[in-house]
Amino acid sequence: MTNTEEQQFLNELEKKLWTSANKLLPSLDASQYKHVMLGLVFLKYVSDSFAIRSAELTQQFKTPEHEYYLDPADFGGENSEDYQAEITLELEQRDYYTEANVFWVPQQARWDFLQNQNKVVITGEIEVGEGNAKKKIRSIGQLIDNALESIEHDNPKLKGVLNKRYTQLQIDQAKLGELIDLVATIPFSHNTLSSKDILGHVYEYFLGQFALAEGKKGGQFYTPKSIVSLIVQMLEPFKGRVYDPAMGSGGFFVQSESFIREHQGRIGDVSIYGQEYNHTTWQLAAMNMVIRGIDFNFGKEPASSYTNDQHPDLRADFVMANPPFNMKEWNTGVDDNDPRWQYGTPPSGNANFAWLQHMLYHLAPNGSMGLLLANGSMSSNTKGEGDIRKALIENDLVECMVALPGQLFTNTQIPACIWFLTKNKKARQTPMEDYLRDRSGEVLFIDARNLGYMKDRVLRDFTQEDLDLVTKTYHGWRMNYGECEGEDGINATVDPNPNSLYQDIPGFCKSATLDDLKKHDYVLTPGRYVGAAAEEDDGEPFADKMTRLTATLKTQFEESSRLEAEIKKNLAGLGFDV
C-alpha cells in the first residue's frame, strides 16, 4: 500500500491527466477514448524503459570495471568523435536490452521522436524506415500507428496486441499532438515510487474511469482493485502457475505481482496463464503485463473458455477470476458430456457453475482457487444448480465463503460473494512456507457485508484494515500452530501465536461442519451460519428497555404528527390547497 505522500502525488497526477485529456478529446466516446489514451501510455512506458536502459548502458560503457567497458584509448580519446560514435552504435544493439527484459523500441517509436515530429507532420510530411520499408508519414495519427506497428514488428510477443487505429480517428490532428505533449508530462521521478509503479497506477486509473464511463459494458474489463487484492491476499500466489480464465485487463496478475514483490519473492517463480474472449480486453491485458514487465501466456488468440480452451492441459496452483455474473446462453457448441462437468451439467440460462467447474478442472491437486459470483450461486436450486452445489460440498471442495457488501462494482448492483475452493484440505505446507492444518469436513463462513465505506455517492470500497481483517480470519482458520507434517513427511513445529488463533465471531465468521451445511439444505449463504452480532450488555433488563424504547417511539410519532399538522396549517395560510 502507498503512504500518504505517495497517494497525494498519485491523486494529483490522476486529476491532471483525466481533466486535461477530457478537454482534448471531447468528441470521442469512452470506447474510443480508452484506446487513444492507453495506447499512448503504453508507448510512453516502453520508450521510457528503453531510455532508462540506454542510460545504464552508457554508464557501463564508460566504467572500466564493467564487462561492457569501451576503452577511449582504442578510439582516439574520450572526447573524440569516433568514441562517441562507437557508443552510439553500441546503444543500438538489441541484445543489450532484451537481456534485461526491456522491449526493443525502434527509433521511430521512441517518445522524443514522436514529440519532435508531431509538430512537423501537421503541416508537412516525413519519411521513416529504410529501403523497401521506407514510408511517408503525413499525419499525427499515422505517426503513432507507425510507432505501434514498428514495436509489434520487432517484438513478436506483441503481435496483434496493439490497437493501431489512430489514423482512423475523426479528431483534430492538433489535439492529438497536444495529447502527446500531455502524456509526456507524466512525471516518472519520485523519491519512493518507481517509474513502473507510477505508470502502472496511471494505466489502472484510466481503466477504472473507462469502466465508469462505459457503464455495464465497461465491467467486462475492470474489477475493483480492493476485491482483487482481497482474493490475492487470501490465496497468496507466491510460487507456481496462476490462471484466470476470464482475465479482463489482467487485474489478478497485477496484484499477484505486487503481492510477490511486497513479500520479497521473485515474479519469475510464477507462471501467468490467462484467457479472454473479448479482443479489446485481451489487448488491454497484454499491454498491462508488458507495462509491468510480467511474462505471460494468454493463448494464441482471444477465445471462449468454453469452446476454445487456450490451455487445455493446464493444472494451475492458483486460479482466480471474476467471470460475468449470471451469463446466459453460454453453452452454444459445448457438449453436455464435457469432462469439466464432473459435478453436474450447468443450466444453459446461467454460467455460474460452468465457470466454477471449468476452474476446478484446471486446478492442480494441491491448488487453491477463488472466484466472484452473484449471491444467487449460494442458494439457487434452479435447473440442477442446487444438486451441483451439493456435490461440491459433499466432495469437500468448498473451503470458505465470503459475503460482500453491495455497491462495490461500477457496472452492476447485483450483490456478490467470493467462493474459495481447494481439492486438498489435508495438512500440508504452502508455497509461503505456512503449515496448514487438516480442515477436512469444515467450511469457513465470513459475512463482510458491514465492512467498507462509501468513497462517493454510488460506490463502496474496502479499507486496507477491512482486507486485513478478512484475510487474517481466513489464514488463522487454516493455519496449524502446533505440530504439522510437511510434504516431505517430516514433522515440523511452528510456535503458537495466540494473536492469530481463529475464533468464531457472532455476526462475522463461523467455522461450520458438513453436517451443519446439510441441515441448511446445502445453502452456502454466510448469514445463515454466522448468526447475529453479540449485543453489548448495558445492564438494562430487556423488558424495561422494550418499555422505554416503545414509549420513546410513541412520543416521536406524536411529535411527527404535530409537525405535519403545523406544516399543513402554514401552507393553507399561504393559499396552498393541502
Side-chain angles (χ1 to χ4, degrees), residues 192-468:
T192 55
L193 291 169
S194 70
S195 59
K196 186 170 71 172
D197 288 331
I198 295 169
L199 191 50
H201 181 89
V202 169
Y203 192 91
E204 182 178 305
Y205 169 75
F206 271 95
L207 284 176
Q209 291 300 107
F210 294 133
L212 285 170
E214 290 190 277
K216 184 176 182 180
K217 184 180 178 182
Q220 293 176 356
F221 65 86
Y222 185 75
T223 306
K225 180 180 177 181
S226 61
I227 301 178
V228 177
S229 296
L230 177 60
I231 294 176
V232 170
Q233 282 186 197
M234 293 176 74
L235 291 185
E236 298 183 318
F238 195 67
K239 185 182 297 183
R241 293 149 297 187
V242 179
Y243 173 56
D244 183 348
M247 67 183 180
S249 61
F252 282 107
F253 304 135
V254 171
Q255 289 304 311
S256 296
E257 188 259 353
S258 298
F259 172 83
I260 293 167
R261 187 170 52 181
E262 288 171 6
H263 291 80
Q264 290 76 53
R266 296 190 308 150
I267 189 62
D269 288 340
V270 171
S271 301
I272 299 296
Y273 298 87
Q275 183 156 347
E276 173 59 43
Y277 176 76
N278 183 287
H279 185 269
T280 295
T281 324
W282 185 78
Q283 291 176 305
L284 292 174
M287 290 166 61
N288 211 359
M289 297 301 99
V290 172
I291 278 176
R292 292 168 170 82
I294 301 174
D295 194 22
F296 60 94
N297 182 342
F298 292 164
K300 296 180 181 179
E301 59 189 351
S304 165
S305 294
Y306 297 124
T307 58
N308 189 6
D309 192 343
Q310 296 289 292
H311 310 288
D313 300 321
L314 174 66
R315 297 298 179 267
D317 301 289
F318 302 96
V319 184
M320 301 176 281
N322 173 25
F325 290 171
N326 304 324
M327 182 178 171
K328 303 181 185 301
E329 300 176 1
W330 59 272
N331 61 338
T332 301
V334 179
D335 190 341
D336 284 349
N337 297 317
D338 192 297
R340 289 173 292 184
W341 315 148
Q342 184 176 349
Y343 304 99
T345 303
S348 61
N350 195 316
N352 288 342
F353 284 97
W355 284 113
L356 194 152
Q357 291 191 84
H358 174 86
M359 293 170 66
L360 269 175
Y361 179 81
H362 283 288
L363 190 66
N366 285 330
S368 298
M369 61 177 266
L371 78 158
L372 281 153
L373 286 178
N375 275 0
S377 62
M378 298 188 290
S379 58
S380 172
N381 289 312
T382 304
K383 297 182 179 179
E385 288 186 333
D387 293 332
I388 297 175
R389 188 172 55 251
K390 176 181 177 181
L392 295 171
I393 293 169
E394 290 185 335
N395 281 276
D396 209 10
L397 296 166
V398 181
E399 182 166 50
C400 177
M401 300 295 301
V402 179
L404 297 172
Q407 296 179 268
L408 287 171
F409 298 89
T410 59
N411 60 306
T412 180
Q413 293 302 311
I414 298 175
C417 60
I418 310 176
W419 289 63
F420 290 94
L421 295 92
T422 182
K423 291 182 177 179
N424 182 11
K425 290 184 181 178
K426 299 294 185 181
R428 59 187 175 88
Q429 189 175 4
T430 73
M432 288 285 289
E433 298 185 352
D434 294 322
Y435 290 93
L436 304 183
R437 66 182 182 85
D438 187 343
R439 292 101 56 219
S440 301
E442 299 179 34
V443 177
L444 175 65
F445 291 92
I446 298 177
D447 191 342
R449 290 177 297 172
N450 293 322
L451 299 182
Y453 69 100
M454 296 301 296
K455 66 177 183 179
D456 56 37
R457 290 180 300 170
V458 295
L459 283 177
R460 194 175 189 87
D461 202 358
F462 287 125
T463 65
Q464 185 59 46
E465 289 72 22
D466 295 328
L467 301 182
D468 290 343

Side-chain angles (χ1 to χ4, degrees), residues 545-578:
K545 180 181 288 188
M546 194 63 185
T547 300
R548 176 175 60 78
L549 293 176
T550 302
T552 300
L553 186 61
K554 180 181 179 183
T555 302
Q556 290 172 341
F557 282 156
E558 290 172 348
E559 180 65 6
S560 175
S561 298
R562 185 188 69 77
L563 291 173
E564 182 181 2
E566 190 71 18
I567 291 170
K568 288 182 177 180
K569 178 181 177 182
N570 291 337
L571 289 174
L574 294 173
F576 290 98
D577 184 11
V578 292

